[in-house]
């Protein structure tokens, strides 16, 4: 098999493949200069991902198969989009450099995981992510952090929504997480009330785009609320067919945002993607835990958004209508965008990502003595 430069490793089941799917177009760009192969551990995930990309997709279900495949591929760099426990079977290979790229930028507690210490490099968006790691981890070497922005935001996917003369209001909640500490969803607390509130804004079109895991959740309360929101959308369309209200249960939310005028979301990467792409449009952030002080401290983007909780959701329609007329948080969002993404413009993140991977590949060769020269700076040009 032809030698590759980069392995994109993914070990989880199909319900989490969205984590890698968002990287596929970026990896395809990388492939032009540094050949990429996707290595999976779950055959069902391979069935999901293979039709989505032109990149080679290989599956190594067992550890012996994985080690044999790595020896055959002889890649220089391995990229990880999550912190699956099976990542450690890949990390055991000490002849490659390992970089965590994550699958979004958010203020969820899981974004500054102690697992970061296992990787040679951790690619992050900007200053906010650096501060998150400094505050959240003990004995963490911040020299491992490489600020690359968010390459997915350089993409321009095909639009999903039909054109409309109405103001389009997006509700894009996250899922409930895999532990209480990481549960930020509003679906089962105020989700239906948010839907009703946005539908009550005059001359509006409502779009419901839940996190992919909401659609497949085993959590009864989240599933019931999700189904209720779908029922509310269907009823609103029956009452006003011309409105074009829609629930988009699957698809790329980055293809939806450009055609929306305001968004309600939870603490997740979605809110920060909106901050980057739609800085000039109102953002509303939910607070599941009803702890305003904690939210302002732990989630800086909340300082440039209107916060919605159980007490405030009843006035959501009036609040959204008011912000559409006078967006008083606009300048604060401009400043906050810099906090999360430095001063990057469209295209800069992809360039940083490509340069960072190329630097790591060169560094690996020098560390193994394959290329003469100093290795102190390779892969560190954009370090925190």
């Amino acid at each position: 098999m032809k030698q590759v430069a980069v392995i994109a490793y993914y070990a989880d089941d199909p319900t989490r493949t969205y984590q890698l799917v968002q990287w596929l177009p970026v990896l395809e760009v990388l492939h032009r200069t540094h050949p990429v192969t996707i290595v999976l551990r779950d055959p069902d995930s391979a069935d999901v991902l293979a039709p989505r990309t032109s990149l080679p997709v290989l599956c190594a279900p067992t550890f012996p198969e994985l080690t044999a495949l790595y020896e055959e591929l002889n890649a220089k760099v391995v990229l990880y989009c999550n912190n699956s426990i099976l990542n450690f079977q890949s990390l055991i290979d000490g002849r490659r450099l390992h970089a965590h790229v994550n699958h979004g930028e958010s203020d969820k507690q899981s974004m500054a995981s102690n697992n970061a210490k296992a990787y040679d490099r951790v690619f992050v968006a900007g200053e906010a992510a650096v501060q998150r790691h400094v505050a959240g981890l003990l004995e963490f070497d911040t020299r491992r952090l490489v600020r690359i922005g968010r390459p997915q935001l350089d993409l321009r996917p095909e639009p999903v929504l039909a054109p409309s003369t109405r103001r389009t209001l997006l509700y894009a909640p996250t899922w409930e997480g895999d532990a209480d500490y990481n549960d930020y969803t509003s679906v089962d607390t105020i989700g239906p009330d948010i839907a009703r509130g946005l539908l009550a804004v005059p001359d509006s079109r409502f779009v419901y785009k839940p996190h992919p895991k909401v659609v497949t959740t085993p959590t009864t309360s989240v599933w019931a609320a999700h189904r209720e929101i779908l029922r509310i959308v269907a009823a609103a369309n029956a009452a006003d067919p011309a409105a074009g209200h829609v629930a988009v249960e699957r698809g790329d939310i980055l293809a939806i945002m450009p055609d929306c005028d305001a968004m309600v979301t939870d603490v997740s990467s979605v809110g920060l993607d909106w901050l980057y792409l739609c800085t000039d449009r109102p953002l509303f952030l939910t607070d599941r835990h009803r702890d305003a002080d904690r939210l302002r401290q732990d989630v800086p983007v909340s300082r440039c958004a209107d916060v919605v909780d159980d007490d405030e959701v009843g006035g959501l329609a009036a609040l959204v209508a008011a912000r559409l007329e006078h967006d008083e948080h606009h300048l604060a969002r401009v400043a906050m965008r810099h906090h999360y993404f430095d001063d990057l413009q469209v295209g800069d993140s992809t360039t940083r990502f490509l340069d960072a991977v190329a630097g790591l590949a060169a560094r690996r060769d020098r560390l193994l003595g394959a290329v003469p020269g100093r290795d102190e700076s390779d892969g560190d040009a954009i370090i925190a």
Side-chain angles (χ1 to χ4, degrees):
M1 179 173 291
K2 182 179 179 181
Q3 179 177 330
V4 302
V6 178
I7 288 171
Y9 177 89
Y10 174 82
D12 280 331
D13 63 75
T15 67
R16 297 176 187 262
T17 50
Y18 66 88
Q19 297 172 339
L20 182 57
V21 165
Q22 64 175 266
W23 275 103
L24 294 179
V26 180
L27 294 173
E28 287 166 2
V29 174
L30 175 64
H31 186 69
R32 298 169 191 166
T33 54
H34 291 76
V36 178
T37 290
I38 296 172
V39 173
L40 309 175
R41 307 299 303 280
D42 185 324
D44 291 336
S45 293
D47 291 341
V48 171
L49 288 164
R52 304 289 297 268
T53 182
S54 59
L55 298 172
V57 176
L58 304 177
C59 191
T62 69
F63 181 57
E65 289 172 311
L66 181 69
T67 56
L69 180 60
Y70 273 25
E71 183 176 355
E72 180 181 359
L73 295 177
N74 194 27
K76 302 176 182 182
V77 177
V78 185
L79 304 178
Y80 304 81
C81 66
N82 65 16
N83 279 314
S84 169
I85 192 170
L86 286 177
N87 286 7
F88 284 92
Q89 291 190 349
S90 172
L91 285 161
I92 204 170
D93 189 324
R95 308 301 284 177
R96 336 269 164 223
L97 289 179
H98 303 263
H100 190 262
V101 301
N102 221 315
H103 54 275
E105 160 65 358
S106 82
D107 291 301
K108 289 184 176 181
Q109 190 172 337
S110 59
M111 288 296 295
S113 169
N114 212 42
N115 292 323
K117 297 174 183 177
Y119 305 97
D120 299 298
R121 294 291 183 273
V122 178
F123 291 3
V124 296
E127 179 61 23
V130 173
Q131 293 184 11
R132 196 179 301 126
H133 282 79
V134 170
L137 304 179
L138 301 176
E139 292 291 326
F140 178 69
D141 184 356
T142 56
R143 290 175 297 177
R144 298 185 186 201
L145 300 176
V146 183
R147 294 153 80 139
I148 65 162
R150 182 133 151 75
Q152 290 83 357
L153 303 184
D154 292 339
L155 305 173
R156 288 295 176 265
E158 289 295 318
V160 170
L161 302 178
S164 175
T165 58
R166 299 187 178 212
R167 293 175 294 188
T168 300
L169 309 178
L170 174 62
Y171 174 41
T174 191
W175 68 301
E176 66 272 24
D178 47 18
D180 288 344
Y181 76 88
N182 210 37
D183 185 356
Y184 298 93
T185 188
S186 59
V187 173
D188 60 338
T189 55
I190 56 174
D193 291 330
I194 290 173
R196 295 185 188 97
L198 294 180
L199 283 164
V201 177
D203 191 32
S204 67
R205 170 175 62 168
F206 174 57
V207 177
Y208 173 51
K209 175 62 180 79
H211 187 285
K213 293 283 282 184
V214 170
V215 178
T216 60
T217 181
T219 303
T220 303
S221 60
V222 176
W223 176 249
H226 168 64
R227 299 303 300 176
E228 174 64 8
I229 296 169
L230 295 180
R231 188 199 65 77
I232 291 170
V233 173
N237 272 328
D240 184 6
H245 308 304
V246 62
V248 184
E249 294 188 82
R250 291 176 176 81
D252 185 357
I253 193 167
L254 299 181
I256 296 173
M257 285 184 180
D259 296 312
C260 297
D261 298 285
M263 181 178 71
V264 180
T265 190
D266 308 327
V267 176
S268 73
S269 64
V270 169
L272 299 184
D273 290 347
W274 180 273
L275 179 69
Y276 185 96
L277 294 173
C278 307
T279 317
D280 59 340
R281 302 173 214 174
L283 172 64
F284 303 82
L285 196 69
T286 70
D287 183 7
R288 177 185 180 89
H289 303 288
R290 303 178 65 183
D291 187 341
D293 291 339
R294 173 186 169 189
L295 192 71
R296 280 191 294 271
Q297 178 177 334
D298 295 346
V299 185
V301 70
S302 67
R303 304 169 202 161
C304 63
D306 287 290
V307 176
V308 181
D309 60 19
D310 299 56
D311 296 328
E312 307 293 336
V313 72
L316 181 60
L319 178 61
V320 171
R323 291 292 176 261
L324 289 170
E325 294 302 317
H326 176 62
D327 181 9
E328 67 178 42
H329 298 300
H330 178 208
L331 292 180
R333 286 197 303 276
V334 172
M336 194 60 70
R337 183 187 189 274
H338 181 84
H339 177 62
Y340 281 100
F341 300 102
D342 300 335
D343 57 352
L344 297 179
Q345 301 304 314
V346 174
D348 293 347
S349 295
T350 300
T351 299
R352 283 193 173 192
F353 172 73
L354 298 177
D355 288 348
V357 174
L360 280 180
R363 186 181 184 91
R364 184 262 190 179
D365 284 346
R366 286 178 175 155
L367 289 170
L368 291 181
V371 178
R374 299 178 63 188
D375 65 9
E376 284 83 357
S377 62
D378 291 314
D380 294 345
I382 319 171
I383 211 156

